[in-house]
């Protein structure tokens, strides 16, 4: 049959066999090289089984064209049409790898390497690959021989003769043989160097673990010793030359390209360290300086080339150090931090396409498995495999991992490695990114056996397996702990009590026995509560472990669950609202204050959810909203004490909201990183606590007046905030600094008015301090005229008389923070008008007044610092602390407030900004003071959150100071950095204070 009918029939057949460009395929089939077999159905069917029939056909034509003559072409065609195993292997490679097709076109006789199909060829070892490379005499011929061997591995891989794990092992064996051949060439080129030294090449990473990719750096470490009688220094120099030459042979590009880069950066000190060290030098480094990740890397160490006896000595010497790594402080946190750092370094545009490093990728499986190996491998030698899948199986067999989880991870890991292999095989390029083009994804899907809808099926399977890895890679560490304590029916091995204890210790639990008891109480049983908690706990345990006090987090969670576990909305909140469970874990393990507030009213856990826009969520509520709620609550109460109790309950809840929001913003979550603007965090906390205190005072005042006088107090009454309260800068542990002012109502006797005002003050203070489940609110009126010896409350006229006759400069300074916070608004405004000329004097400050302020500040520094305290770490009175910054800013306000409107503010940071804008201090000095003030305030807030009581210096307890560090953004093991940074920041601020406040 000829003509259009035949062409149409061929076109249809080509489409049916998977060709995407039938016209081009038909032209190739009509070429002189293929015309003898163009109608052979066997050939078309074989091409149709390849990943890319168009690519396979094109590669076959190129290979035929490259044959040295007609006889050679005929022999190739006969073999392809008559020998099914060879046909499938050759066409399979041509349809999957354009790079290997190029190699065959350059070396047309190499296809014959696929002819032999002996049993020994199915799974060759290092020795067979060494025979394949033996004839290489230079880097170019070694490269050609390497590609010839790679061709055989790829052929077995694409035909399914080997699975992905076997292919990876063969690639590692080929790399081993190549390293030996390259070292042999280096030694042959410098026999005098080879005679001076013993050199061992240790494979690391995927090569060491027998799980190499088609294209990958080959990670190595070199160990050198002097040969008998040789000088050690000369021997190490000789060994370094040989190692460098070997690396160049493998890494340098030739006319055939390069083999692969040899990477020695896993050696001690990385690229800054010597390329070759003696065994004793290696051990000295690992014993003194090595980081956790270096022991993790040594899991895969394997001698592969050079002096194998020396290599075995090296592995035997470092092995005990590897299996002691889990005892290192912050071990789990270090491993997890390294994993997070890897993810953070992926370009944002590539995260979703990253097979290896991205979330749900290959590295997640590898890190999870290695973490478990290091924790339990010391006691169980069966876990000491450098191969991920073998180690995963051993973990499942020993009960360290749930068998079902292990099966799912195994399947996911194999699928992702298949994808990685096929992606790299196409161009033989080092990449772990899933291609974006439809043609590339089609070829990739078909190479994995997905033929009905290659692109759609590929993406569905990829996303499904990645989701499994994302879900399991961290839970893998925690879920067996639940099976060990929950006493659930199970047909598989369980984590032993000792192994469970080891794992809890590795997670940072100081009392693993108590932690396991809490887990048992939470996870045991068949109730809905226990079932949901078994689902939540693996994730919660990870978040607890990320804190400075995992024990407290787990204990607090048990307490909350005991209180709310039977409340349907509680479990639903944690299960269904994405942020709630993580927010709860962060809050419960960050210190004492927030959990204490929550335990007194556990229903406040609802605030940790996504919020409903009406008081829900962690967004701070404004002053007006708070005051409305508290006044309404007071109005419903039966008497003054009940009213204030209710107001204090609102205050407790809102303190919890503020503390929880602060903790979550400072720690960050999986979906939301920690807030970078530390000043904004400080301002938010200060404003929230100050507004809450003002609203509480307003409600208390209303309750006291109503209880004692009905609706009409004999005197107008106002509360003036002072100090941090007036500056909207209250911390969690701050007292409310205030002064009270009153003015008799028209026709009321002054004595009666004064008596009423005094009773109001006394009753407010009493009700706000009555012992109860709610934290007290202490009112401090010591900044009033005459201090503790003066009356608690004065009339506005009395204040005017006092300030006119007796006021001292320090009182003018204190009044800089005066702001009405509760009571009669008009009276409060008139008080501010009264004190404005004092705090913003029209002529500024005279030199005598400046000297008085400086003298008072110096005396305060020397007399009020607690005995035994480290001045450099005292956040309030120490050099560069809060007092230094605030007094400096306040001196500028007193001197220039009358002429610079921006300075007329009660807020420290706002005044500092205004002084900078007015040119009263430089940008650099202002930034230095601001940084120091913000940091000192953050430390004070952290101390209160962690300890549950106020403090002006860092805690001495290691766990508490570590918790302060976590709040400030310092990871585990970096407490020293935190203290150094604080000292440095305070020291710089003190230098500015010396110049601006003390005059140089």
């Amino acid at each position: 049959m000829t003509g259009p009918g035949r062409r149409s029939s061929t076109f249809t057949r080509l489409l049916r066999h998977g060709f995407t460009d039938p016209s081009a395929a038909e032209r190739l089939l009509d070429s002189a090289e293929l015309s003898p077999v163009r109608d052979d159905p066997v050939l078309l069917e074989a091409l149709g089984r390849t990943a890319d029939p168009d690519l396979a056909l094109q590669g076959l034509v190129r290979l035929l064209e490259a044959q040295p003559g007609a006889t050679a072409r005929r022999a190739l065609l006969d073999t392809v049409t008559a020998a099914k195993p060879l046909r499938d292997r050759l066409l399979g490679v041509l349809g999957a790898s354009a790079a290997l097709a190029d190699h065959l076109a350059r070396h047309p006789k190499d296809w014959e390497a696929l002819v032999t199909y002996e049993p020994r060829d199915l799974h060759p070892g290092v020795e067979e690959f060494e025979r394949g490379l033996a004839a290489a005499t230079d880097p170019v011929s070694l490269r050609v021989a390497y590609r010839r061997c790679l061709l055989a591995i790829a052929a077995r891989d694409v035909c399914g003769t080997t699975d992905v794990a076997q292919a990876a092992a063969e690639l590692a064996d080929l790399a081993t043989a190549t390293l030996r051949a390259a070292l042999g060439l280096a030694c042959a080129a410098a026999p005098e160097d080879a005679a001076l030294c013993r050199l061992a090449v240790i494979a690391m990473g995927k090569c060491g673990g027998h799980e190499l990719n088609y294209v990958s750096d080959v990670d190595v470490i070199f160990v050198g010793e002097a040969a008998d009688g040789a000088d050690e220094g000369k021997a190490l120099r000789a060994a370094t030359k040989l190692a460098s030459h070997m690396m160049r042979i493998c890494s340098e590009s030739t006319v055939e390209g390069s083999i692969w880069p040899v990477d020695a950066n896993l050696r001690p000190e990385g690229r800054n360290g010597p390329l070759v060290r003696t065994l004793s030098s290696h051990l000295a480094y690992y014993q003194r300086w090595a980081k956790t990740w270096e022991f993790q890397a040594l899991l895969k160490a394997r001698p592969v080339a050079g002096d194998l006896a020396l290599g075995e000595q090296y592995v035997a010497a470092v092995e005990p150090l590897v299996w002691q790594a889990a005892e290192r402080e912050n071990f789990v946190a270090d491993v997890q931090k390294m994993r997070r750092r890897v993810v953070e370094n992926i370009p944002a545009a590539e995260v979703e396409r990253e097979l290896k490093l991205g979330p749900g990728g290959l590295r997640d499986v590898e890190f999870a498995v290695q973490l478990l190996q290091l924790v339990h491998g010391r006691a169980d030698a069966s876990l000491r495999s450098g191969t991920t899948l073998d180690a995963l199986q051993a973990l499942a067999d020993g009960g360290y991992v749930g068998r079902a989880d292990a099966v799912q991870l195994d399947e996911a890991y194999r699928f992702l490695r298949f994808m990685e292999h096929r992606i790299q095989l196409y161009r033989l390029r080092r990449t772990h990114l899933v291609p974006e083009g439809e043609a590339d994804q089609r070829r990739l899907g078909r190479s994995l056996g997905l033929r009905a809808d290659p692109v759609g099926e590929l993406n569905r399977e990829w996303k499904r397996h990645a989701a499994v890895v994302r879900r399991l890679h961290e839970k893998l560490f925690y879920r067996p702990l639940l099976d060990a304590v929950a006493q659930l029916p199970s047909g598989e091995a369980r984590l032993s009590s000792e192994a469970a204890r080891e794992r809890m210790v590795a997670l940072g639990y100081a009392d693993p026995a108590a932690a396991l008891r809490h887990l048992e109480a939470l996870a045991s049983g068949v109730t809905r509560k226990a079932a949901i908690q078994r689902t939540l706990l693996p994730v919660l345990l990870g978040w607890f472990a990320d804190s400075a006090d995992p024990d407290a987090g787990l204990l607090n969670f048990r307490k909350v669950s005991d209180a709310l576990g039977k409340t349907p909305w509680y479990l639903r909140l944690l299960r269904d609202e994405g942020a709630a469970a993580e927010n709860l874990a962060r809050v419960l393990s960050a210190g004492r204050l927030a959990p204490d507030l929550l335990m007194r009213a556990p229903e406040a856990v609802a605030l940790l959810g996504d919020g409903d826009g009406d008081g829900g969520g962690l967004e701070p509520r404004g002053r007006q909203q708070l005051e409305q709620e508290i006044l309404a609550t007071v109005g419903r109460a039966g008497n003054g004490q009940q009213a204030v109790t209710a107001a204090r309950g609102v205050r407790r809840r809102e303190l919890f909201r503020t503390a929880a929001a602060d903790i979550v913003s400072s720690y960050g979550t999986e979906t939301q990183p920690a807030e970078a603007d530390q000043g904004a965090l400080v301002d938010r906390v200060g404003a929230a606590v100050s507004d809450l205190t003002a609203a509480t005072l307003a409600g208390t005042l209303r309750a006291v007046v109503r209880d004692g006088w009905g609706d009409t107090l004999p005197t107008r009454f106002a509360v003036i905030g002072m100090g941090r309260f007036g500056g909207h800068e209250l911390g969690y542990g701050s007292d409310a600094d205030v002064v009270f002012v009153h003015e008799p109502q028209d026709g009321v006797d002054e004595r009666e008015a004064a008596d009423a005002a005094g009773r109001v003050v006394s009753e407010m203070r009493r009700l706000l301090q009555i012992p109860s489940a709610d934290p007290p609110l202490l009112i401090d009126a010591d900044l009033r005229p005459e201090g503790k010896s003066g009356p608690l409350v004065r009339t506005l006229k009395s204040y005017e008389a006092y300030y006119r006759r007796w006021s001292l400069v320090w009182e003018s300074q204190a009044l800089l923070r005066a702001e009405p916070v509760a009571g009669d608004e008009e009276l409060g405004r008139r008080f501010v008008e009264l004190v404005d000329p004092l705090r913003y004097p029209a002529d500024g400050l005279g030199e005598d007044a400046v000297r008085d302020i400086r003298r008072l500040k110096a005396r305060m520094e020397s007399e009020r610092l607690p005995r035994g305290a480290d001045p450099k770490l005292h956040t309030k009175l120490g050099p560069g602390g809060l007092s230094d910054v605030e007094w400096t800013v306040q001196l500028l306000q007193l001197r220039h407030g009358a002429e610079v409107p921006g300075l007329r503010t009660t807020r420290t940071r706002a005044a500092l900004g205004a002084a900078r804008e007015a040119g009263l201090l430089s940008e650099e000095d202002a930034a230095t003071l601001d940084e120091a003030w913000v940091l000192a305030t953050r430390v004070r807030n952290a101390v209160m959150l962690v300890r549950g009581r106020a403090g002006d210096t860092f805690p001495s307890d290691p766990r508490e100071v570590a918790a302060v560090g976590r709040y400030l953004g310092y990871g585990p093991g970096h407490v020293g950095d935190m203290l150094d940074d604080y000292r440095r920041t305070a020291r710089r601020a003190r230098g500015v204070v010396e110049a601006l406040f003390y005059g140089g």
Side-chain angles (χ1 to χ4, degrees), residues 342-574:
V342 169
V343 175
E344 289 166 0
N345 287 334
I346 303 172
E350 298 178 358
V351 170
E352 293 301 318
R353 297 168 52 217
E354 252 288 354
L355 272 180
K356 178 181 178 181
L357 304 177
L362 293 162
R363 190 55 60 85
D364 275 348
V365 182
E366 293 162 355
F367 263 63
V369 169
Q370 290 164 19
L371 185 60
L372 289 170
Q373 285 181 277
L374 290 169
V375 170
H376 299 294
R378 182 182 184 188
D380 188 345
S382 70
L383 305 180
R384 300 178 184 180
S385 171
T387 305
T388 301
L389 291 178
D390 290 348
L392 180 58
Q393 183 61 53
L395 288 164
D397 291 343
Y400 302 101
V401 170
R403 197 172 297 279
D405 291 346
V407 168
Q408 289 188 70
L409 274 182
D410 183 283
E411 292 175 352
Y413 188 75
R414 289 176 186 273
F415 183 85
L416 296 174
R417 286 303 302 273
F418 262 126
M419 287 185 67
E420 181 184 48
H421 278 192
R422 295 295 191 269
I423 291 168
Q424 292 186 348
L425 184 58
Y426 176 53
R427 291 289 186 191
L428 286 181
R429 290 177 181 166
R430 184 176 182 267
T431 179
H432 311 286
L433 294 178
V434 178
E436 295 180 290
E438 183 176 349
D440 289 328
Q441 290 194 6
R442 181 177 184 274
R443 180 182 59 256
L444 180 56
R446 284 176 58 88
S447 75
L448 298 173
L450 307 173
R451 298 300 168 86
D453 176 17
V455 175
E457 290 181 69
L458 170 70
N459 282 286
R460 283 191 295 273
E461 286 295 293
W462 168 35
K463 299 301 182 186
R464 180 174 70 84
H465 285 297
V468 167
V469 175
R470 277 197 301 271
R471 178 169 55 84
L472 290 180
H473 89 276
E474 286 189 352
K475 292 183 183 178
L476 201 70
F477 198 78
Y478 308 108
R479 184 172 291 167
L481 290 168
L482 306 185
D483 291 340
V485 299
Q487 299 177 356
L488 300 173
S490 175
E492 62 182 50
R494 292 170 179 265
L495 202 63
S496 69
S497 298
E498 180 57 27
R501 192 198 69 80
E502 287 177 349
R503 197 171 296 192
M504 297 305 284
V505 170
L507 283 168
Y509 287 85
D511 188 349
L516 289 169
R517 287 196 301 273
H518 298 323
L519 285 181
E520 183 175 6
L522 289 162
S524 294
V526 294
T527 64
R528 176 175 175 272
K529 170 186 173 184
I532 292 177
Q533 289 182 159
R534 281 196 296 272
T535 302
L536 292 169
L537 275 167
V539 183
L540 290 169
L541 286 171
W543 289 323
F544 293 149
D546 189 40
S547 74
D549 196 349
D551 299 82
L554 182 55
L555 172 60
N556 289 331
F557 179 67
R558 181 180 176 183
K559 290 178 179 178
V560 173
S561 290
D562 286 346
L564 294 176
K566 295 182 180 179
T567 308
W569 64 262
Y570 165 68
L571 293 172
R572 187 167 59 248
L573 173 79
L574 297 186

Side-chain angles (χ1 to χ4, degrees), residues 748-766:
V748 175
D749 179 71
E750 288 196 8
R751 186 182 297 274
E752 178 188 353
D755 180 63
R759 286 167 54 196
V760 168
V761 171
S762 297
E763 188 66 0
M764 286 180 68
R765 298 179 82 182
R766 184 185 73 84

